[in-house]
Amino acid sequence: MVGQSKSTFSFKLTTDVRFGTGITRSISEHIPGNFKKLGLVIDSGVFGHELVHDLMVNLKESCDIPKVFKNTASEPDYDYLDNCKKEFINIEFDGLMGIGGGS
């Protein structure tokens, strides 16, 4: 575009939030076909919960999960996010899924 510097960019985020009783049993049906490898970021507050375990089992029916990161920060700052990024930088994945609450 005329008059814009090279540091100008556009970012579009498409978020698909799923909520409801039993959603973990059907989650693999909602993963687009081009996502064959998912990275997971799981909130430490729900990390060991049975529902999260069930969700991961169901996800593995349709895709590979090469990396699971346990988020331990209740309010992550940019330094924490940079460290999280380092966990994924050398991992090949098609999509990133966040599980849990908080920021």
Side-chain angles (χ1 to χ4, degrees):
M1 295 186 179
V2 178
Q4 289 186 335
S5 72
K6 290 182 181 181
S7 64
T8 302
F9 66 95
S10 176
F11 180 77
K12 181 180 179 182
L13 182 62
T14 55
T15 303
D16 184 4
V17 177
R18 300 287 169 158
F19 179 83
T21 303
I23 193 68
T24 59
R25 292 187 294 272
S26 65
I27 196 69
S28 61
E29 298 170 18
H30 303 288
I31 304 298
N34 58 330
F35 291 126
K36 297 298 181 193
K37 294 183 179 182
L38 285 179
L40 300 181
V41 177
I42 303 176
D43 182 88
S44 63
V46 298
F47 190 84
H49 197 281
E50 181 180 347
L51 289 175
V52 173
H53 177 278
D54 292 347
L55 174 77
M56 290 175 60
V57 167
N58 288 315
L59 281 173
K60 289 179 182 179
E61 291 177 5
S62 61
C63 59
D64 182 31
I65 301 174
K67 178 68 180 174
V68 176
F69 179 77
K70 182 179 180 181
N71 175 27
T72 58
S74 58
E75 294 296 333
D77 57 19
Y78 288 109
D79 290 333
Y80 184 84
L81 295 175
D82 283 342
N83 287 329
C84 179
K85 175 182 164 184
K86 291 175 188 175
E87 294 287 326
F88 287 94
I89 199 82
N90 294 316
I91 305 297
E92 184 179 327
F93 59 95
D94 305 312
L96 189 62
M97 179 182 284
I99 302 170
S103 300

